[in-house]
Structure formats: structure tokens, C-alpha cells
Amino acid sequence: IVPMTYEEINDYYGYKLVEVFNGLGGIAEAQWDSVLSKNHKVWGLAVDDYHNSNHINFNKGWIVLHANHNNKDEILASLKQGNFYSSTGHDIRITVQGNMIIASSTDLSSFSFISKGNLIKIEHNVTSSKYKIQGDELYIRVKSVNMRTGTMAWSQPIFIYRK
């Protein structure tokens, strides 16, 4: 599977979700950053893209959605609001306290903070990492890689608004 080209993804409009990870082999982080950098509010998904639960690559990508209740309306609202993270088996927690973004995981991880397609901070072999918002970022998203298993997790972008 080949991810969409920059031209293809920029030719579409009105979408709110993009596949960042596809279990058939595609990773489209650069394309995601391309549309985010144009100030499009698009949430990133990880999917396995398999329809046979007996296949070796089944269950390699999914989202972890945060909702107060397990019902259709809350689940759809959380998807629309970007209230989830995407994963290949790794966990991540993102909090914002004032002008600080805090990323954490239960395992030793490599945390990458990304804005406008650029790596703005990376920290290895830790269970948490912080990034101080400078104010000139359009958005900040976090990618975390489990140091032991290599599994990944992606936060949704945090959009930065200047006063």
C-alpha cells in the first residue's frame, strides 16, 4: 500500500480524518503534516485494514477513543473532536497545562514533538516528556515509539492560537 501523494491529499476537501498508519504497510505522517501545515484540522487514524481476523497482520493499528459513555453519539462526537489517539500497540497520554504539553506512556519511549512537519523536540528512553509551547507553532503533535517493542502511538494535533 502506498500512501496518498501530497497532490492527492491536497486535492480533497472537507474531510476530517486521515489514515496515518495502515497495517498493510503505509505510514502517511508527512502527508498528514502537509495538510495540517495548511491549517486544515484533520485527525489521524491508525488502522489495520484487514478483513480476515486470522491474517498475521490483523489487529496492527487502531484508535483509543476517550468518551464518557459507550454509545453511538458519544463515540461519534469524540471522533469529530479528535478525542482519541492512534496506536500500533503503544499507549500515550497527552495533557496540556498552561503552555506546557506533557506526553507520557507506561513504557520507556521515544517522544517526538512535531510542528509544521518539523521535529521540534525529541527525547529517548523516558516515560514522559514535556514541550513548552513557544507560540509560533501552528500545531503540535506527538509521536511516541515504545523502546522495547517498536510499537507507535500518535496524538492528535494540538492547535496553537495566538492572542
Side-chain angles (χ1 to χ4, degrees), residues 20-159:
V20 174
F21 172 85
N22 181 300
L24 292 174
I27 295 181
E29 284 185 79
Q31 290 86 338
W32 188 25
D33 281 318
S34 172
V35 295
L36 289 172
S37 294
K38 292 183 172 112
N39 207 24
H40 295 287
K41 310 248 181 323
V42 179
W43 312 124
L45 298 169
V47 299
D48 61 21
D49 204 15
Y50 280 91
H51 307 275
N52 178 352
S53 62
N54 295 322
H55 194 282
I56 190 169
N57 285 330
F58 179 73
N59 206 24
K60 297 292 183 187
W62 57 83
I63 65 168
V64 177
L65 185 125
H66 306 284
N68 291 325
H69 303 288
N70 185 12
N71 63 52
K72 178 183 171 182
D73 291 338
E74 290 235 8
I75 290 169
L76 289 174
S78 287
L79 278 171
K80 289 176 185 175
Q81 295 165 3
N83 195 12
F84 62 93
Y85 69 88
S86 297
S87 178
T88 66
H90 186 42
D91 69 291
I92 189 172
R93 179 176 169 84
I94 304 296
T95 55
V96 178
Q97 296 177 357
N99 65 347
M100 195 70 73
I101 298 172
I102 303 160
S104 61
S105 176
T106 56
D107 290 319
L108 286 177
S109 304
S110 172
F111 291 99
S112 299
F113 293 81
I114 299 151
S115 181
K116 296 183 262 186
N118 297 309
L119 180 65
I120 54 177
K121 180 181 180 182
I122 190 165
E123 196 168 359
H124 303 290
N125 292 310
V126 294
T127 56
S128 68
S129 183
K130 296 178 181 179
Y131 176 79
K132 183 178 179 184
I133 298 168
Q134 304 300 305
D136 59 346
E137 307 92 342
L138 181 59
Y139 68 90
I140 299 166
R141 65 178 184 82
V142 180
K143 177 181 179 180
S144 180
V145 179
N146 183 306
M147 300 303 293
R148 183 178 47 83
T149 65
T151 54
M152 298 173 277
W154 295 266
S155 78
Q156 297 310 318
I158 299 163
F159 295 98

